[in-house]
Amino acid sequence: MVKGITGLLSLHFLGISSKRLGVCGWILFSLSLLLMIITFPFSIWMCLKIIKEYERAVVFRLGRIQADKARGPGLILVLPCIDVFVKVDLRTVTCNIPPQEILTRDSVTTQVDGVVYYRIYSAVSAVANVNDVHQATFLLAQTTLRNVLGTQTLSQILAGREEIAHSIQTLLDDATELWGIRVARVEIKDVRIPVQLQRSMAAEAEATREARARVLAAEGEMNASKSLKAASVVLAESPIALQLRYLQTLTTVATEKNSTIVFPLPMNILEGIGGISYDNHEKVPKRA
């Protein structure tokens, strides 16, 4: 029976070897195991621990990590007096970066905040390589955000958020690899600039739009003049086309229910009338 219990325990005590424990370690291990057997079944409630599906347990026996891989999920057996375990949550953690005051490359002061999504993929590294993995990741994210944005101009920050976020994610992922952290996503939430600078940017954008509108209007006038020139050439080649255009204009004016209709008079009639009056004016002095 003792052999069966010992075989069952050896499945749970990964990393047990004479090289790791030593003579004193084996003595303490045997005493702890004997204590658990003597107090059975009361000790089973103290030694069995439940690890949830999204958690892992890093077990320390006499101060040493028992295996290169954390244990769980499910039931794990912890020996009294010599075993200590630490639970590690493997779910994705949201790290909200508070607004950071940044001086951009073009000497503009702005405040930028963001959010970092990361998760622990190695519980052993997260426990053994860093004191507080979440606090360390939080401080590193703030520093990386300031360093990366400090090398960019304001226009680059406003236009290239995705590229900047990707570069921050790459830097964070490389720096936290030894901590057992994998950065899933980095997002820049808001870029705050001074009110005076906002007004200057709005005035600059408005001036740009007005200049563009004037250019478009000038191009429209040029195209309209070219079209009118081509139309005048066509009308000059066909006199009847001018009369049809007169009639079309009258039809358009009449459909608007106007009480006054302007009838266009050909210019040759006016020239003829002017020539007659001028001839009569010349004949009068000769008779006198």
Side-chain angles (χ1 to χ4, degrees):
M1 180 178 177
V2 177
K3 292 182 179 180
I5 295 176
T6 306
L8 179 61
L9 293 176
S10 63
L11 296 176
H12 296 276
F13 300 145
L14 300 176
I16 295 178
S17 63
S18 58
K19 295 181 181 179
R20 284 194 174 186
L21 292 179
V23 178
C24 295
W26 274 109
I27 294 174
L28 293 176
F29 171 73
S30 302
L31 292 176
S32 178
L33 183 61
L34 181 61
L35 177 62
M36 186 182 67
I37 295 174
I38 292 173
T39 58
F40 186 83
F42 300 102
S43 61
I44 199 69
W45 302 106
M46 301 296 296
C47 297
L48 284 179
K49 304 297 181 180
I50 299 176
I51 305 300
K52 298 179 181 179
E53 182 67 29
Y54 55 84
E55 293 177 338
R56 295 296 183 269
V58 181
V59 180
F60 292 87
R61 177 163 300 143
L62 299 176
R64 295 184 177 182
I65 297 177
Q66 284 303 291
D68 297 334
K69 184 178 180 182
R71 292 157 61 177
L75 288 174
I76 64 172
L77 188 60
V78 180
L79 286 179
C81 302
I82 64 171
D83 283 354
V84 178
F85 74 98
V86 179
K87 286 185 180 180
V88 179
D89 197 332
L90 301 183
R91 292 178 294 182
T92 300
V93 180
T94 303
C95 177
N96 189 16
I97 303 176
Q100 303 293 313
E101 189 171 355
I102 298 169
L103 182 64
T104 61
R105 193 174 65 183
D106 52 351
S107 301
V108 177
T109 303
T110 180
Q111 290 186 347
V112 182
D113 57 351
V115 60
V116 179
Y117 301 92
Y118 66 93
R119 59 183 296 270
I120 298 175
Y121 72 91
S122 176
V124 175
S125 300
V127 173
N129 294 341
V130 63
N131 182 21
D132 189 347
V133 63
H134 298 293
Q135 182 68 14
T137 306
F138 174 69
L139 296 177
L140 182 62
Q142 293 185 21
T143 306
T144 306
L145 179 65
R146 289 196 296 266
N147 292 339
V148 172
L149 294 182
T151 61
Q152 307 290 328
T153 62
L154 181 61
S155 59
Q156 291 175 346
I157 294 175
L158 296 176
R161 291 190 180 188
E162 294 183 0
E163 292 79 6
I164 296 174
H166 182 70
S167 62
I168 294 175
Q169 177 183 349
T170 303
L171 293 175
L172 284 177
D173 203 10
D174 294 339
T176 57
E177 184 178 0
L178 295 177
W179 301 344
I181 296 292
R182 180 172 290 119
V183 180
R185 190 177 182 86
V186 177
E187 291 292 341
I188 297 177
K189 294 196 301 184
D190 190 16
V191 179
R192 303 174 185 176
I193 57 179
V195 178
Q196 185 177 1
L197 182 59
Q198 293 181 10
R199 295 175 180 174
S200 301
M201 294 175 64
E204 181 181 0
E206 184 177 0
T208 303
R209 288 193 296 268
E210 291 181 356
R212 190 179 304 170
R214 292 179 180 179
V215 171
L216 293 177
E219 291 179 354
E221 292 292 338
M222 182 178 64
N223 295 332
S225 62
K226 292 180 180 180
S227 299
L228 289 176
K229 180 181 178 181
S232 63
V233 173
V234 174
L235 292 176
E237 294 177 353
S238 178
I240 194 63
L242 182 60
Q243 301 297 327
L244 294 176
R245 182 59 181 168
Y246 288 163
L247 296 177
Q248 184 179 3
T249 303
L250 290 176
T251 303
T252 303
V253 174
T255 55
E256 295 180 358
K257 298 180 180 180
N258 293 329
S259 58
T260 303
I261 297 178
V262 179
F263 183 78
L265 188 65
M267 296 298 297
N268 53 5
I269 297 178
L270 296 177
E271 291 177 356
I273 296 175
I276 294 174
S277 61
Y278 180 75
D279 294 339
N280 293 334
H281 181 70
E282 290 180 349
K283 292 177 182 179
V284 171
K286 291 179 182 181
R287 292 177 180 178

